[in-house]
Amino acid sequence: MVIRMKSSLQYGTATQPLNEFIRSIRLVRDEILMLDQTLLPIEEETLVIRDYRQCIEAIKMLRIRGAPAIGVAAGAAAWLAAMEFEGKGDYLELMHKALDEIEASRPTAVNLFKATQAIRKIIQGNDAGRILEFTENLIDYEIEACKNMGIHGAEEIKGEKLGILTHCNTGSLATVGIGTALGVIRTIAQDRPVHVFVDETRPLLQGARLTTWELMQSGIPCTLITDNMAASVIATGAVDCVITGADRIAANGDSANKIGTYGLSILAKHHDIPLYIVAPESTIDRDTPTGEQIDIEERKPEEVVGFREVRTAPNGCKVYNPAFDVTPAENIAAIITNTGIWHPGS
């Protein structure tokens, strides 16, 4: 049987320019404005956060998510804590406790820890202004990093017309710029026709809910598939490369990303197509030698046994729910960063 899926696909270029992107988090006056990603794409609701504990809850509950955006949210949470504790005699003790609480919110994304560690070094007393400046500088860094990842990725990834498969969400919602993997796709799509296959990304459907929404807003042709369709779609020849993000990259290039990425890397290797990881330099954890040392977050069983209060599994069934897996460096064609290209498996 001959499958002709690739020839029937609609390829196209982006209709939305790169200088237009969603603002997942903003710092205004003495509050944080945050787009609640758990409600997308059905509702677009902006949270107004004035307490650092609310910001921690937002990180835990994935109201904000994606390694770069989580790093910014950590800085913003620390800024709110500093404003609350200013003038108190035990300010430093309270701030270090608040930073401990922020770090406990998500264990895998290294950007969060880099933000809190940097803030620990600058706090001395009445530091809200300094922490705000740090966080605003971090936002500027991430916006510029996304732009540069897009440039480097568009130069690295060849082909006049590209079928691309991506996993989870790596766009503006996951960053504070045009995105990491999705930023590369958007940059390519400014000049070349593309078609993007979007894994739905079980169990929380970030691909279905968020990535398709962003791609459609950008005017980029895309097709939503379930995670277990990826092998079949790749086998048709419709996919020229796989592009994903990362939440933590070990010193040897092993990359932790949303659960399912490791499986895609095996499929890509088997079918002789490249898999690219796209992440800013801030996501590389040079203190972690290999992927074996990366702490993988395990989330609540409720995420697997149902979705949005609709139960799909029997009561009492056992659940294993790791949020991430680790793709070994040898399965990665290139890691695309804001400072350049790294070929860890070569």
Side-chain angles (χ1 to χ4, degrees):
M1 181 175 65
V2 177
I3 302 174
R4 302 189 183 278
M5 183 177 188
K6 190 170 185 177
S7 61
S8 64
L9 289 176
Q10 174 192 356
Y11 289 78
T13 53
T15 59
Q16 185 184 55
L18 288 175
N19 61 357
E20 295 181 13
F21 53 87
I22 302 153
R23 303 282 177 170
S24 58
I25 182 170
R26 288 175 289 156
L27 281 57
V28 181
R29 296 182 300 277
D30 57 350
E31 59 195 24
I32 302 167
L33 302 182
M34 184 185 294
L35 185 61
D36 188 346
Q37 298 184 33
T38 64
L39 302 178
L40 291 171
I42 309 303
E43 298 178 52
E44 296 181 33
E45 182 177 305
T46 298
L47 302 173
V48 180
I49 297 174
R50 299 187 178 94
D51 187 308
Y52 82 92
R53 300 165 192 84
Q54 294 174 330
C55 194
I56 290 173
E57 187 271 348
I59 296 170
K60 285 182 178 179
M61 299 305 293
L62 306 184
R63 303 186 196 283
I64 190 163
R65 36 146 301 281
I70 290 173
V72 171
W79 168 56
L80 292 182
M83 286 194 290
E84 177 180 337
F85 301 139
E86 273 183 332
K88 295 188 177 181
D90 52 353
Y91 172 83
L92 286 177
E93 181 182 344
L94 289 168
M95 280 301 298
H96 283 294
K97 182 181 177 183
L99 290 166
D100 288 343
E101 294 171 12
I102 294 166
E103 289 175 345
S105 60
R106 299 290 304 273
T108 303
V110 71
N111 299 61
L112 183 151
F113 294 91
K114 287 189 175 181
T116 56
Q117 288 163 9
I119 290 168
R120 288 185 194 276
K121 293 177 181 177
I122 66 174
I123 56 173
Q124 298 169 351
N126 301 328
D127 297 304
R130 298 181 70 194
I131 296 172
L132 175 60
E133 182 181 9
F134 166 83
T135 307
E136 288 176 333
N137 288 339
L138 182 58
I139 290 171
D140 291 341
Y141 165 84
E142 296 294 358
I143 291 173
E144 188 67 16
C146 287
K147 175 184 173 183
N148 288 328
M149 282 182 280
I151 293 169
H152 294 145
E155 292 173 348
E156 173 73 12
I157 299 171
K158 310 300 182 185
E160 295 182 4
K161 186 172 74 171
L162 288 169
I164 301 168
L165 190 149
T166 193
H167 190 67
C168 198
N169 173 259
T170 57
S172 299
L173 293 171
T175 63
V176 289
I178 60 170
T180 56
L182 213 56
V184 168
I185 292 171
R186 285 190 62 190
T187 304
I188 293 172
Q190 300 295 309
D191 304 309
R192 289 177 272 168
V194 302
H195 189 101
V196 184
F197 290 95
V198 182
D199 274 353
E200 63 173 354
T201 319
R202 281 280 293 152
L204 295 180
L205 309 182
Q206 293 98 325
R209 295 187 303 106
L210 308 178
T211 298
T212 52
W213 183 68
E214 286 200 54
L215 286 168
M216 291 171 72
Q217 287 199 333
S218 298
I220 298 173
C222 60
T223 298
L224 176 65
I225 62 173
T226 64
D227 296 358
N228 56 0
M229 294 177 188
S232 179
V233 172
I234 290 173
T236 70
V239 177
D240 298 300
C241 64
V242 179
I243 311 178
T244 77
D247 286 78
R248 187 184 295 243
I249 300 171
N252 72 334
D254 293 349
S255 299
N257 191 49
K258 182 58 60 183
I259 190 75
T261 307
Y262 174 43
L264 289 179
S265 78
I266 295 171
L267 289 172
K269 195 167 188 177
H270 176 77
H271 289 278
D272 197 27
I273 62 172
L275 178 139
Y276 300 100
I277 297 289
V278 187
E281 278 287 330
S282 56
T283 301
I284 299 174
D285 181 5
R286 302 192 189 283
D287 294 329
T288 298
T290 72
E292 292 181 357
Q293 290 82 40
I294 295 176
D295 185 13
I296 299 298
E297 175 185 4
E298 187 166 352
R299 295 183 61 81
K300 294 178 180 179
E302 287 77 12
E303 294 179 350
V304 175
V305 299
F307 186 73
R308 286 186 173 167
E309 300 181 359
V310 177
R311 193 169 181 96
T312 56
N315 291 327
C317 72
K318 293 183 178 180
V319 173
Y320 176 51
N321 186 22
F324 306 94
D325 57 24
V326 176
T327 297
E330 59 264 27
N331 288 6
I332 300 170
I335 295 174
I336 299 165
T337 77
N338 52 306
T339 60
I341 308 295
W342 177 18
H343 299 92
S346 60

